[in-house]
Amino acid sequence: MLDLYNPDTYIPAPPHEAFAELRRTSPVCWQDIPGDEGYWMILRHSDVVHVAKEPRLFSAETGGVVVETLPQDQLENMRNMLLAMDPPRHIAWRRNIAPHFKARVIGELEGQVRDITKAIMADAKEMGDVDFVHDVCAHLPSNVMGQIMGIPEEDRPQIHMWAEQQTSGSDPDINPDTYMEPPSANSSMQMAMYAIEHAAKRREARANGADFDPDLTDLVLAAEVDGRTMTDIDFGSFFVQLVTAGNDTTRTMLAGGTLALLQHPETLEEVRADPSLIPGAVEEILRWANPLHYFRRTATEDAEIAGQKISAGEKLAMVYTSANRDEEVFDDPNGFNIHRSPNPHLSFGIAQHFCLGVHLARLEGRVFFEELLATFPVIEQTGQPRRIRSNLNNSIKELPLRLQVG
Ligand code: HEM
């Protein structure tokens, strides 16, 4: 059987055919990991939903959200992140942070997101020939996150680099020396140290009477959980998760989405002619070119999924890449159809841990494609895309394009 753990498997393309076959024959299938305990891959849409909806039985906290067994100190750090918390702690933390990410609050950022996007397009116009991933897409999430957290512009590229090392560490271009080794905590530690300093500086500035408009850093530092505000160390973990969760994924949506449109020229023309189709196109991009392949849970008790016995302590991967093409849920699942309605893809997860940044990601996606198509009547591929070596990130690392104004 194809090795579905090996990051090499994902370099040419996600293994959609193998997933389709397994959904039929072995929808909860065992996968070995060399030198580590293997895991169950959950491949059907309904089973992924079931696992996500049982956070006490299938824990995010016990072993974190990636399939490798992490060292204890790394796990301890992760447990300060929403992503790797279980109820009731998760509920208490999320309740405090969630109001800042509601649709209405995020909607107010549209003007800022559009200004940032227009500036990126203006730079791209100057360049003409670009590596679309790094010259164009990468700038939007890192500047948006930077702006809403009040990070100085000159520090944003470094933060982006740390985020990329964390989520795509198994790619030789991103981690030349250690890409074959298990995930390391170095880049997240460096980012957390930066964030701790950022929080300390902000508290000092406010104590000294600085009266600029509050940003997300101020709001998060003021939020109370269990009757106390965040320490600078809590803030460090929170910042790392926000930047890591929001950077690569969004960049991937933008780059993967542009490639999907170029591969479907009639759809591209349709969207150009009627930009009101862009929100539907963004959803289909998320389904068809989902930025994350999976997130993990750990069984806290013996369980059974689709007739397969799972023992307490075993790992499970909710494979979004497979669930998003489940023929039980989607007609013509391999087709790229921006008119799908409903489109119940699982690219943002579902239930308790449903992506907190969903409204921001959708806003960035919509504004980006509106501005891209309005600025460049001609977009041409000048070389082959290169994909990241990763079983977690479904990302393109290089997409050579020529952007023309007419
Ligand atoms: C296209 C872009 C994005 C994708 C595909 C994505 C995907 C996901 C997924 C699949 C989860 C669920 C994790 C789980 O069930 O274990 C998640 C959670 C999360 N996302 Fe996103 N995300 C995106 C953008 C963002 C952005 C822009 C932010 C922040 C501004 C963000 C912040 C978070 C946070 C904080 C969580 C944890 C929520 C919790 O555990 O309660 N994400 N995201």
Side-chain angles (χ1 to χ4, degrees):
M1 191 185 99
L2 192 59
D3 181 347
L4 293 168
Y5 170 74
N6 191 340
D8 287 329
T9 301
Y10 297 77
I11 296 177
H16 289 302
E17 279 177 26
F19 286 146
E21 172 68 18
L22 286 166
R23 279 195 300 277
R24 270 193 304 277
T25 57
S26 178
V28 177
C29 88
W30 182 258
Q31 174 62 56
D32 289 328
I33 303 182
D36 192 353
E37 210 175 299
Y39 59 106
W40 295 105
M41 298 187 95
I42 312 297
L43 299 172
R44 282 188 186 153
H45 190 283
S46 57
D47 295 330
V48 170
V49 172
H50 169 67
V51 170
K53 284 189 170 170
E54 295 276 1
R56 286 185 168 81
L57 181 54
F58 303 115
S59 158
E61 191 160 323
T62 306
V65 293
V66 296
V67 289
E68 291 83 7
T69 304
L70 298 179
Q72 210 47 38
D73 56 336
Q74 227 170 306
L75 266 179
E76 284 307 321
N77 284 333
M78 258 178 94
R79 288 188 183 126
N80 281 328
M81 304 183 183
L82 273 181
L83 203 58
M85 283 183 194
D86 286 344
R89 207 162 66 101
H90 175 259
I91 296 167
W93 276 79
R94 182 155 173 143
R95 195 185 296 131
N96 278 281
I97 307 297
H100 305 306
F101 287 89
K102 283 209 164 111
R104 189 183 47 75
V105 178
I106 295 298
E108 285 167 12
L109 298 175
E110 175 158 351
Q112 287 183 52
V113 171
R114 196 170 297 276
D115 288 347
I116 293 172
T117 311
K118 278 185 189 292
I120 294 169
M121 296 304 161
D123 288 346
K125 215 192 259 182
E126 295 291 309
M127 284 186 266
D129 280 353
V130 293
D131 163 27
F132 195 66
V133 178
H134 289 94
D135 295 337
V136 182
C137 302
H139 295 300
L140 182 59
S142 62
N143 281 306
V144 168
M145 288 307 295
Q147 189 135 332
I148 64 182
M149 300 295 285
I151 302 297
E153 258 175 60
E154 61 275 17
D155 295 348
R156 294 177 194 172
Q158 176 63 67
I159 289 172
H160 183 80
M161 171 77 82
W162 285 325
E164 199 169 37
Q165 281 171 348
Q166 234 170 292
T167 51
S168 308
S170 58
D171 188 276
D173 286 346
I174 292 161
N175 244 352
D177 301 328
T178 56
Y179 74 97
M180 293 297 280
E181 294 172 13
S184 120
N186 279 350
S187 47
S188 67
M189 284 308 290
Q190 283 169 302
M191 201 198 291
M193 297 304 291
Y194 175 92
I196 289 167
E197 217 173 286
H198 177 61
K201 277 191 200 152
R202 177 58 60 86
R203 288 190 210 274
E204 197 186 318
R206 291 294 182 202
N208 290 333
D211 67 350
F212 48 88
D213 282 348
D215 54 26
L216 195 58
T217 295
D218 292 302
L219 297 172
V220 170
L221 287 175
E224 280 194 19
V225 180
D226 296 339
R228 64 167 181 90
T229 52
M230 277 193 191
T231 63
D232 289 357
I233 292 174
D234 292 337
F235 180 80
S237 304
F238 181 80
F239 180 91
V240 169
Q241 86 162 340
L242 217 55
V243 172
T244 312
N247 245 337
D248 256 26
T249 46
T250 307
R251 185 194 73 182
T252 297
M253 167 181 68
L254 306 177
T258 304
L259 182 60
L261 290 170
L262 290 169
Q263 288 167 337
H264 298 87
E266 41 337 299
T267 308
L268 176 56
E269 286 320 308
E270 205 186 338
V271 176
R272 270 193 191 285
D274 180 2
S276 74
L277 296 174
I278 289 177
V282 168
E283 287 314 297
E284 182 64 348
I285 285 164
L286 285 160
R287 183 191 73 88
W288 197 80
N290 53 299
L292 292 166
H293 285 303
Y294 80 89
F295 270 136
R296 163 189 167 178
R297 298 292 185 263
T298 307
T300 56
E301 293 169 29
D302 290 351
E304 195 175 304
I305 303 172
Q308 176 62 56
K309 289 208 175 347
I310 311 286
S311 300
E314 285 182 333
K315 311 169 185 174
L316 308 99
M318 301 178 284
V319 184
Y320 308 129
T321 308
S322 171
N324 278 356
R325 297 202 181 201
D326 188 336
E327 35 295 286
E328 293 286 318
V329 177
F330 301 98
D331 289 339
D332 182 21
N334 292 320
F336 181 70
N337 173 7
I338 62 168
H339 300 286
R340 260 177 222 286
S341 178
N343 188 346
H345 66 74
L346 296 177
S347 300
F348 290 120
I350 192 164
Q352 268 79 0
H353 289 279
F354 183 64
C355 179
L356 195 65
V358 61
H359 301 300
L360 185 57
R362 284 182 172 141
L363 174 67
E364 289 181 64
R366 174 170 62 75
V367 171
F368 181 87
F369 287 108
E370 283 170 1
E371 295 298 328
L372 177 74
L373 300 183
T375 314
F376 301 107
V378 183
I379 303 174
E380 203 188 324
Q381 234 178 291
T382 50
Q384 286 307 310
R386 288 173 68 219
R387 290 170 46 78
I388 280 184
R389 177 183 183 274
S390 172
N391 59 22
L392 175 62
N393 265 27
N394 188 15
S395 298
I396 304 168
K397 62 180 172 185
E398 196 179 318
L399 177 59
L401 295 187
R402 179 163 302 145
L403 302 170
Q404 290 173 256
V405 284

